[in-house]
Structure formats: structure tokens, C-alpha cells
Amino acid sequence: MQRKFSMVAALVGAVLLTGVAATAASAATGEVTVFETETTRLTTYADPSGCYKLPLAAHVLNNHTDRPVRIYGDPFCAGPSVTVQPGFGSHVAPGSGSFSV
């Protein structure tokens, strides 16, 4: 029984370590920039990974990373999305949108 528990614990540990390594490796290299207005500095997300709420006045998102970026109409990165490939940009609707990498 003790041996079986040790084997299961080792397996679970290996799976968790693999998941952590995969998460760390999934971060994009580069940055996503968001334009709001002519009087506001660009909002920059360096080496993004995960879900980000867009600024309230967001107008244009540019993808300067090595991964596709998905833009959502809600603040939780859920529902329908538009994919912005590396080196491209997209207009975004002002309001409570989000993006993920």
C-alpha cells in the first residue's frame, strides 16, 4: 500500500511539474500594444501570457509577439473572439473587452 501511494505521489508530482513548465513556455515573446487616444500613452504588455482586460478607451491592438493574440468582447476572455496574427493589428470596440495569448 505504501509503495503504491509513493508511486501515485511521484506521478502526480511529475504531471504538476510538466504543467508548470508548459505554462512558463507558453508566454509570448515580444509585446502587445494598445492605442487609446492621441493624448494617452500606449499601453504595453511585455511577453504576455494569459488573459488581460483591455483599457476602457482601447481603440487599436497591435501584436508584436511571436504568437497569435485573441481579442474578446467581454472582460473574461470568454465567448467569440478575433485572432490577430503576429505582426498585425486590429481595431477593438471601446468598452470592456479583453485579449489573451
Side-chain angles (χ1 to χ4, degrees), residues 12 16 18 22 25 31 43 47 67-68 80 98:
V12 168
L16 290 175
T18 303
E31 61 187 27
T43 302
D47 300 329
R67 303 267 175 107
S98 58

Side-chain angles (χ1 to χ4, degrees), residues 23-99:
T23 300
S26 67
T29 301
E31 61 187 27
V32 171
T33 56
V34 177
F35 169 79
E36 295 174 67
T37 69
E38 289 77 10
T39 59
T40 306
R41 288 181 143 296
L42 294 173
T43 302
T44 303
Y45 304 86
D47 300 329
S49 174
C51 181
Y52 299 86
K53 186 175 182 323
L54 287 166
L56 192 57
H59 185 68
V60 175
L61 179 143
N62 290 307
N63 180 6
H64 299 286
T65 73
D66 59 349
R67 303 267 175 107
V69 169
R70 298 182 76 77
I71 300 173
Y72 302 84
D74 68 88
F76 308 109
C77 296
S81 63
V82 172
T83 301
V84 180
Q85 295 298 327
F88 289 83
S90 177
H91 284 272
V92 295
S96 58
S98 58
F99 75 92

